[in-house]
Amino acid sequence: MALWTPDVLGAALFGWYDASDATKVIITGSGVSQWVDKSGQGNHAVQTTDANRPTFSVNKVSFAFQQGLMFPSYPAAWDVIFIAKMTSTVAYHTVLMGVSELPLLTDASDPPLIGHYTSSGFASSGLTWARDTYAIIYGSVSNLANCTYARDGSALVSTGQPSPNETVVSVGRVDYEQPFGDLYEMIFVTYGATTDTKQKLEGYIAWKWGYQGNLPVDHPYKSAAPTTGAPGTPWLPTDLGANLKGWFDGKDVASVTITGSGVSAWANKGVSTMTLTQGTDANRPTYASNILTFAHGAAATGPHLLATNALTNYDVLIIGKPFAYTDTTDWRTLIMSGTQNNLILENVSNHYGTYNTNFFQAGTLSWDNVAGLSYAQISAGNPLLLSRDGSVLVSTGTNPTDTTIAGIGSGGSYSAGAINQAWGDINELFFVPFNSSIDTRQRLEGYAAWKWSLQGNLPVDHPYKSAAPTTGAPVVPVSNAAALMIGV
């Protein structure tokens, strides 16, 4: 599936102004003389008077006092969506100007209310837009029906009044001192667009500009940008077939056995016969809110799960949150072998690495007191490779010698002795064959990131940054370069 863009709307799209496309912003004299319409309808916004021209810089057109761009003749009713940052000036703020009235503006209250001007005064939607903040605004404007507005993907809210003059003539206002602010993108579509169109436009803009975090939790594009065509079938770890050697899932309550004071067994949902169990009550990790916690325990060996029928040479994806470093004895062990710790966090520096023949080896990665994902490739005779949150794999510079899993958690030193090395929280673990493909690694990262609401941690070029994996080809991620520019 391809990412959905406004041009999919065809003739229903009649104005599209995109500041991230610098080729469409024409500079003359002291500012913007033309903002080219990307809809193909030729409805370019222009300003022939130099003193009234807004300015342009890095993905935004800025409208100060008496600055505006004039539109050609537009329909008598329209829907509009835009993302902008309100100016901090205490005043009314004109976003769109009509022939003689203001069909979309905010009032002078603090914070300003979104609405429009009528012959009897300001008609408010009740929605606010604080000065000096970003917002995605959707408006459905007509002189025949009550005007409605939405902010950041909310439901449309009525002002209770139609606009007396809905024909829009400019963005910004040149005849009065009502400054607007910074405009990043504005799109006009046919009046009374469907809820599906409204939500697709909101999802498109939110993901493009890195604003998806502000969409409501029930918005259909809260978790992924809209795409064209029918939705794909969600990809699941079981699609790996025989390559899914181990899958320990904290959200699958039925897979976690509680006995006495903690977890006595964590069932493997993968195809191998490896098990994780703990027969000693004092050494059991605790379980709450879909997470196993491997804390400092009363027993010398600390909470851990022991492995039987264990894997040797493997890739592993870990979803969790290691404890914060507190003192110089705080090494944190995740995966133990019989003679060394295959994955361990160092004390003091929080470097992430392995113990090999009684000596700690680490690369450049660290991980401390933050929820995230980590992928590791562990094989005897090969450098141990690690990544954090979907980044590229980097080497610790050492070759493990003992890679057979003895257990999970804090129950051992490099020689599996009685040292309490508390790890922290584990949400989920996946084990696949050593040196699995990049596609396998990235699908697992995408699946886990979206499952545990960690997709924001993935890098901008990760194939599942914008959507969870499906059984088809990966969707090219939405770039959020513009979002970095506007500071969302």
Side-chain angles (χ1 to χ4, degrees):
M1 293 182 294
L3 289 169
W4 185 93
T5 56
D7 48 16
V8 172
L9 296 172
L13 173 69
F14 61 85
W16 182 7
Y17 309 92
D18 179 6
S20 72
D21 186 350
T23 66
K24 304 300 183 185
V25 183
I26 310 302
I27 306 298
T28 305
S30 61
V32 179
S33 59
Q34 184 180 80
W35 199 350
V36 176
D37 173 20
K38 293 177 64 174
S39 74
Q41 304 298 323
N43 293 322
H44 312 310
V46 299
Q47 181 52 256
T48 57
T49 303
D50 189 66
N52 296 139
R53 288 172 179 154
T55 56
F56 175 71
S57 64
V58 191
N59 300 329
K60 66 183 179 183
V61 176
S62 300
F63 297 81
F65 290 112
Q66 295 183 316
Q67 292 180 348
L69 292 170
M70 313 307 292
F71 295 118
S73 178
Y74 264 10
W78 36 270
D79 282 14
V80 66
I81 187 170
F82 60 89
I83 182 167
K85 181 182 180 182
M86 175 82 71
T87 180
S88 59
T89 304
V90 178
Y92 277 83
H93 305 280
T94 299
V95 182
L96 294 171
M97 180 69 185
V99 174
S100 60
E101 303 287 354
L102 302 168
L104 200 162
L105 81 163
T106 63
D107 72 351
S109 58
D110 190 17
L113 293 160
I114 300 166
H116 62 271
Y117 199 81
T118 73
S119 57
S120 58
F122 182 72
S124 172
S125 66
L127 298 172
T128 61
W129 179 6
R131 294 184 179 89
D132 203 34
T133 65
Y134 302 92
I136 297 172
I137 306 297
Y138 191 98
S140 188
V141 179
S142 170
N143 70 341
L144 300 177
N146 291 340
C147 298
T148 56
Y149 301 100
R151 176 179 174 178
D152 295 334
S154 70
L156 287 165
V157 179
S158 176
T159 61
Q161 296 185 53
S163 175
N165 192 320
E166 72 297 324
T167 302
V168 65
V169 298
S170 72
V171 54
R173 185 172 184 178
V174 300
D175 64 340
Y176 199 73
E177 293 187 350
Q178 292 186 343
F180 169 21
D182 299 332
L183 179 60
Y184 297 89
E185 189 162 11
M186 178 175 280
I187 300 166
F188 289 90
V189 296
T190 301
Y191 173 72
T194 65
T195 300
D196 179 68
T197 294
K198 169 183 175 287
Q199 292 176 330
K200 278 187 165 66
L201 285 165
E202 290 165 342
Y204 162 79
I205 282 185
W207 282 92
K208 176 176 179 177
W209 295 94
Y211 209 74
Q212 63 272 20
N214 282 53
L215 295 177
V217 294
D218 59 350
H219 197 281
Y221 303 109
K222 175 69 171 180
S223 299
T227 57
T228 58
T233 302
W235 182 90
L236 299 173
T238 49
D239 291 326
L240 293 172
N243 286 328
L244 183 62
K245 301 299 183 184
W247 181 10
F248 299 90
D249 181 3
K251 280 197 174 179
D252 186 352
V253 176
S255 72
V256 181
T257 301
I258 306 297
T259 306
S261 61
V263 178
S264 58
W266 197 2
N268 185 1
K269 297 167 64 174
V271 301
S272 80
T273 57
M274 184 172 73
T275 65
L276 294 175
T277 61
Q278 179 53 259
T280 302
D281 187 65
N283 292 342
R284 290 172 180 153
T286 56
Y287 180 67
S289 302
N290 302 323
I291 294 170
L292 282 76
T293 299
F294 296 77
H296 291 284
T301 53
H304 62 284
L305 297 172
L306 294 170
T308 57
N309 300 322
L311 297 172
T312 298
N313 301 331
Y314 54 89
D315 287 9
V316 60
L317 176 65
I318 306 122
I319 301 91
K321 179 182 179 181
F323 285 144
Y325 157 75
T326 56
D327 63 52
T328 56
T329 64
D330 270 358
W331 297 78
R332 284 144 292 173
T333 297
L334 175 62
I335 298 179
M336 303 177 291
S337 68
T339 60
Q340 62 190 57
N341 291 331
N342 286 333
L343 284 178
I344 186 172
L345 280 166
E346 188 184 14
N347 62 343
V348 184
S349 69
N350 298 313
H351 277 169
Y352 193 27
T354 183
Y355 236 101
N356 182 40
T357 59
N358 302 354
F359 187 76
F360 179 73
Q361 295 284 346
T364 59
L365 296 181
S366 61
W367 192 6
D368 183 58
N369 196 34
V370 61
L373 305 89
S374 179
Y375 193 93
Q377 292 189 338
I378 302 172
S379 175
N382 293 291
L384 186 141
L385 303 179
L386 291 167
S387 80
R388 283 284 318 280
D389 293 327
S391 66
V392 297
L393 290 162
V394 296
S395 176
T396 61
T398 191
N399 302 338
T401 55
D402 181 0
T403 65
T404 302
I405 298 171
I408 302 295
S410 54
S413 67
Y414 64 85
S415 59
I419 295 178
N420 188 349
Q421 297 178 340
W423 169 261
D425 295 337
I426 297 179
N427 304 42
E428 195 163 16
L429 295 169
F430 297 96
F431 294 89
V432 292
F434 172 71
N435 199 25
S436 288
S437 68
I438 293 175
D439 180 68
T440 292
R441 172 165 68 91
Q442 291 178 330
R443 285 183 185 275
L444 283 170
E445 290 166 344
Y447 169 83
W450 285 94
K451 178 176 179 176
W452 295 96
S453 299
L454 295 169
Q455 63 271 22
N457 291 25
L458 297 176
V460 294
D461 59 351
H462 196 281
Y464 304 109
K465 176 70 172 178
S466 300
T470 62
T471 53
V475 173
V476 178
V478 176
S479 170
N480 71 347
L484 297 177
M485 299 298 183
I486 69 173
V488 172

